[in-house]
Amino acid sequence: MAAMNDARGAGATLHYIFDPLCGWCYAAAPLVDAAREVPGLKVEFHGGGMMTGANRRPITPQWREYVLPHDHRIAEMTGQPFGERYFEGLLRDTGAVMDSEPPTTAVLAAESLRPGGGLDMIHSLQRAHYVEGRRIADVEVLKAIAGELGFDAAAFASAFESQSGEATSRHIAESRQFLQRAGGQGFPTFVVVQPDGSAGRIDIGPWLGHADEWKAQLANWIGAAQPAASSAEESLPVCGPDSCT
């Protein structure tokens, strides 16, 4: 991959292109947590807006049947937990809407209030959705999750309003441009950028369920040879830019 001229800096950066409603991003969540513990590595998120605008969708019985095999596969591959309130609650809640924009706004608001707060919010949103079966597209639910993370209610509400609308749309557009430049096929996509701007996309398929080994490998990559870019035929199933498959 060519050097990413807008990504130069004092240290290495792991770019995480994700969507809060992407099941394979949830599969990779332990890898994100492990990467945050690697000395000398900064982790940055980029929300791709998988289910926004015309791609928003309600929960239906057909959707439940569609996602269940993927969820079971994720659980088997990674050990990630899925809750009864998700399987028998949210996935049967035909009043719920799958919309990536509000939770992405919540991530941006959290990051604006506390460095690292965006990644903390992503982790909590994924747990709220897949374990607790909560409607993470509902603003009141997002405010409650922010409170659970220790954010002041008034400060978060103000930050959420500031990051809503145009700011979130701009972030999503920039994230999709980054995904295209990185040659990613969907979500999640991970890119390591070294201090000199050289970059390599990582196929995380072999690391799913092996967070400790992934953490050690990331430490080896920092300042060393780049990992080989993933081939077009990803070994990791990904959520496409406009739907989770």
Side-chain angles (χ1 to χ4, degrees):
M1 185 184 301
M4 306 193 78
N5 295 327
D6 57 353
R8 297 177 187 273
T13 301
L14 178 69
H15 294 273
Y16 169 43
I17 309 172
F18 81 103
D19 188 87
L21 293 171
C22 163
W24 289 103
C25 295
Y26 180 55
L31 305 187
V32 177
D33 291 341
R36 298 180 72 184
E37 300 175 356
V38 176
L41 180 66
K42 180 181 180 182
V43 181
E44 291 190 1
F45 63 83
H46 307 268
M50 180 178 70
M51 292 184 177
T52 56
N55 294 314
R56 296 167 70 248
R57 68 176 70 218
I59 297 289
T60 63
Q62 293 76 19
W63 177 255
R64 182 177 186 275
E65 292 306 310
Y66 173 73
V67 300
L68 280 177
H70 300 285
D71 294 336
H72 289 310
R73 185 180 178 194
I74 289 167
E76 290 170 4
M77 287 180 66
T78 68
Q80 282 287 77
F82 288 80
E84 191 73 6
R85 286 177 289 179
Y86 168 71
F87 284 135
E88 299 301 329
L90 183 63
L91 288 184
R92 295 189 185 278
D93 181 2
T94 56
V97 175
M98 304 280 281
D99 184 354
S100 301
E101 183 171 344
T104 299
T105 299
V107 171
L108 296 174
E111 184 66 22
S112 74
L113 293 172
R114 183 170 73 208
L119 291 167
D120 294 339
M121 178 62 75
I122 293 168
H123 182 97
S124 292
L125 290 172
Q126 290 170 329
R127 178 172 179 80
H129 180 76
Y130 289 106
V131 179
E132 299 166 358
R134 297 161 78 178
R135 294 183 176 188
I136 65 169
D138 288 7
V139 174
E140 292 308 311
V141 172
L142 295 171
K143 290 179 178 178
I145 293 171
E148 292 160 14
L149 284 169
F151 289 102
D152 175 78
F156 181 80
S158 177
F160 188 91
E161 182 177 359
S162 176
Q163 296 293 335
S164 294
E166 182 179 349
T168 297
S169 296
R170 183 169 59 251
H171 173 83
I172 289 171
E174 291 172 351
S175 297
R176 288 192 171 227
Q177 290 169 8
F178 190 95
L179 178 66
Q180 184 176 27
R181 295 201 309 275
Q185 304 300 308
F187 314 119
T189 290
F190 289 83
V191 178
V192 171
V193 179
Q194 299 284 15
D196 64 1
S198 60
R201 192 174 73 254
I202 307 174
D203 174 5
I204 63 166
W207 307 106
L208 290 175
H210 304 285
D212 289 341
E213 292 91 335
W214 156 261
K215 180 179 176 181
Q217 185 62 70
L218 280 176
N220 290 336
W221 279 331
I222 302 309
Q226 285 294 319
S230 303
S231 65
E233 192 70 28
E234 299 273 352
S235 66
L236 167 69
V238 295
C239 291
D242 301 311
S243 65
C244 210
T245 58

